Amino acid sequence: MSLSRKQFDILVLLAEEPLSQRLIQKRTGMSLGTVNRTMRELSEAGFVSSGEITPLGLNALEPYRVKRAVFIAAGFGTRLVPITLNTPKPLVRVHGERIIDGLIDACLRVGIEELYIVRGYLSEQFDQLLYKYPMLRFLENPLYNESNNISSALAARDLLCNAYVFEADLLLYNPAVIRKYHYGSDFLGFKVDRTDDWCFDVSDGVITAEKVGGLDCWQMVGISYWNEADGKKLCDDIPAVFASPGGKERFWEQVPLVYRRENYRVELQPCAESDVLEIDTYRELRAVDRSYCTEGFDNG
C-alpha cells in the first residue's frame, strides 16, 4: 500500500518518537481533525498502535527511505585559489574539519551508509577519507577537466535511485536537513527577496523553473533527493543531455529542472539560509575561518 502525504508525514514523526496527536498537529501544521482522521487510517492499516509506529508501519516507510548518497567532488574549485592549488575544495578544512566531513556525518547519522564520491581533480587525495570512513566508495570522472559537473552525474547515473546528490563543497551547519525518508524527489532551498545566484521559482511546493538571479524566489542549495522512479529516468536523461549540442557545458541538475523538466515533478524542500553555507571564494573562506588570514595564507 502506498502512503498518502499526510500518512507519510505522521509515520516519519512517529518513527523518531511516540507523540500525542496534539504534538503531531503542532509539528505538521495539520488540523487536529486531519490528524485524528489520518491516525485512524494508520491504525486500521496496522501501521500505528496505541499512538506508536508498528513494525508494519516501519515497513510501509521502507520505499521512502534514502538508500545511498552521491557526492559530486570532481571539480577544480578555482575560485578558492590558492587553497585549492594543492587540495580539492571538499577536503579544505574549516575550523579544523574537512568540509565534506559534515555532509558524510549527517548521512551516517540517519543510517545512510552507501556513500559514493565522484572524484577527478587531485583524486588520490580523497583516499585520506577512508581512515575515518572506510565504507566510502569512489567513482572516477575522467572528463572533469573538459566538462561541467554533468560529467560527474554521468559517472554516477546508475546510482541515483532513492539517492541524495550533494555538491561536496557545502559547509553544513544543521545536520537535521538531511533526512532518512523522503516522500518524493526534492531540492533544498531557502526563501530570498532577491538573489544573483542560482534559484527556483516554486508553485504549490513544486519547482517550476531554475534560473540565475530573481526576485521573491528560492535560492538553490546543492542538496537534492531522487526517488526510485526519477532515478531511473535520470539514468537515461543525463547521457542524452550530455550527448546533445553543448551538453558538456550543462550543470547536472539542469537535466531534470530545465532540459527534461517535463519528465519530473521536483518539490522544494525548504531550509533556513543559516543551515548550509557554500564557500565560493577565498575571501569568503577567510571570513568564516580567520586562521586563513594568518601569515602563510593571506595573499592580500
Side-chain angles (χ1 to χ4, degrees):
M1 155 182 180
S2 61
L3 299 171
S4 71
R5 185 57 179 262
K6 293 181 177 65
Q7 291 171 339
F8 168 82
D9 288 342
I10 289 177
L11 279 183
V12 168
L13 286 177
L14 295 178
E16 297 175 353
E17 59 179 325
L19 295 171
S20 69
Q21 291 193 17
R22 288 201 174 276
L23 279 175
I24 292 173
Q25 185 253 335
K26 182 177 180 181
R27 293 195 187 183
T28 61
M30 301 177 195
S31 69
L32 192 56
T34 298
V35 172
N36 289 336
R37 184 171 58 254
T38 307
M39 286 291 285
R40 186 164 58 251
E41 295 169 354
L42 293 171
S43 180
E44 290 171 355
F47 298 159
V48 170
S49 178
S50 300
E52 297 186 17
I53 193 169
T54 65
L56 197 61
L58 287 172
N59 189 60
L61 282 175
E62 189 61 20
Y64 306 92
R65 182 173 63 84
V66 183
K67 303 297 194 303
R68 62 188 61 84
V70 175
F71 300 87
I72 304 298
F76 288 104
T78 52
R79 289 194 291 172
L80 215 61
V81 170
I83 299 301
T84 50
L85 290 176
N86 300 303
T87 304
K89 188 177 176 183
L91 301 181
V92 170
R93 292 183 182 270
V94 178
H95 301 301
E97 182 177 278
R98 293 170 300 218
I99 291 174
I100 198 174
D101 285 29
L103 299 172
I104 296 173
D105 290 341
C107 288
L108 295 176
R109 172 179 169 270
V110 293
I112 307 168
E113 297 186 348
E114 189 179 333
L115 306 173
Y116 298 87
I117 294 179
V118 185
R119 60 185 183 176
Y121 175 61
L122 298 177
S123 61
E124 70 285 349
Q125 291 201 23
F126 287 92
D127 290 344
Q128 66 183 266
L129 292 169
L130 294 172
Y131 293 100
K132 183 178 179 182
Y133 307 109
M135 77 293 294
L136 287 178
R137 305 176 201 181
F138 297 117
L139 303 172
E140 308 300 332
N141 176 5
L143 304 175
Y144 73 93
N145 62 343
E146 60 185 75
S147 68
N148 225 316
N149 69 6
I150 190 173
S151 61
S152 289
L154 185 69
R157 64 189 180 276
D158 296 324
L159 300 167
L160 301 181
C161 293
N162 300 101
Y164 264 118
V165 177
F166 292 92
E167 292 181 11
D169 58 357
L170 300 173
L171 194 59
L172 186 62
Y173 286 118
N174 180 13
V177 300
I178 309 305
R179 303 181 178 184
K180 186 173 184 177
Y181 302 103
H182 285 254
Y183 193 70
S185 299
D186 55 54
F187 226 108
L188 211 63
F190 55 86
K191 195 72 165 62
V192 291
D193 295 327
R194 179 188 185 94
T195 182
D196 296 323
D197 212 330
W198 288 91
C199 59
F200 305 129
D201 287 334
V202 176
S203 177
D204 295 325
V206 176
I207 296 172
T208 57
E210 182 197 34
K211 57 189 181 179
V212 179
L215 302 174
D216 190 27
C217 55
W218 294 80
Q219 187 158 322
M220 185 182 82
V221 176
I223 298 175
S224 58
Y225 171 78
W226 304 91
N227 64 18
E228 182 175 7
D230 287 344
K232 289 178 179 178
K233 287 183 282 190
L234 285 169
C235 188
D236 295 327
D237 288 343
I238 289 170
V241 173
F242 183 82
S244 66
K248 288 185 177 182
E249 303 306 313
R250 310 302 182 201
F251 293 97
W252 85 268
E253 74 279 353
Q254 291 180 303
V255 175
L257 297 179
V258 179
Y259 297 103
R260 294 293 187 273
R261 189 177 68 183
E262 68 278 5
N263 295 340
Y264 303 86
R265 182 183 185 277
V266 184
E267 296 183 352
L268 187 282
Q269 183 65 50
C271 69
E273 184 175 358
S274 58
D275 287 338
V276 186
L277 175 65
E278 181 178 5
I279 302 176
D280 283 326
T281 66
Y282 183 57
R283 182 183 298 275
E284 291 173 353
L285 175 63
R286 290 191 299 173
V288 172
D289 186 341
R290 301 300 295 175
S291 69
Y292 287 99
C293 295
T294 59
E295 186 178 357
F297 288 108
D298 192 358
N299 67 348

